[in-house]
Amino acid sequence: FVLQSIPTLQRNEGANPSAECYSSKTWGSVAEQIGVLQEQDRLLTRYLVDAVKSHSLDDVAALKRNKAEVRSEISRLQHSLSET
């Protein structure tokens, strides 16, 4: 199963590295990234169900890791938006 790489955001120059600052234009971009990641999460769920049905244990393990990474990135982006 091929996944797109998870996009990363560029921080504003001179910004506090622990607090990400977003302009309204960037905020829309972050919201769009969250939507893309949520779609990836839904696809991973479908792939995971198929892998379980076919008893592909290696695929199941890899898909679970990928799903956890996608969900972690969604949470991180949502948290960063809530701090603005």
Side-chain angles (χ1 to χ4, degrees), residues 4-27:
Q4 294 177 344
S5 64
I6 297 173
T8 57
L9 296 174
Q10 294 181 344
R11 297 175 196 261
N12 292 340
E13 291 297 320
N16 180 349
S18 63
E20 298 181 31
C21 301
Y22 301 107
S23 66
S24 60
K25 186 175 182 179
T26 306
W27 190 92

Side-chain angles (χ1 to χ4, degrees), residues 8 12 15 32 34 42 53-56 58 64 73 84:
T8 57
N12 292 340
E32 186 176 323
I34 290 171
R42 285 188 289 275
K53 285 180 184 177
S54 66
H55 303 287
S56 301
D58 290 337
K64 283 183 177 181
E73 183 68 5
T84 59

Side-chain angles (χ1 to χ4, degrees), residues 8-77:
T8 57
L9 296 174
Q10 294 181 344
R11 297 175 196 261
N12 292 340
E13 291 297 320
N16 180 349
S18 63
E20 298 181 31
C21 301
Y22 301 107
S23 66
S24 60
K25 186 175 182 179
T26 306
W27 190 92
S29 174
V30 173
E32 186 176 323
Q33 287 178 0
I34 290 171
V36 169
L37 289 168
Q38 288 172 332
E39 178 61 24
Q40 286 181 345
D41 186 52
R42 285 188 289 275
L43 289 171
L44 284 167
T45 299
R46 287 188 217 147
Y47 297 154
L48 188 55
V49 168
D50 291 342
V52 168
K53 285 180 184 177
S54 66
H55 303 287
S56 301
L57 299 180
D58 290 337
D59 289 343
V60 169
L63 289 166
K64 283 183 177 181
R65 281 191 307 272
N66 291 336
K67 192 168 175 59
E69 289 175 16
V70 168
R71 287 190 172 180
S72 174
E73 183 68 5
I74 290 170
S75 294
R76 186 189 70 77
L77 290 172

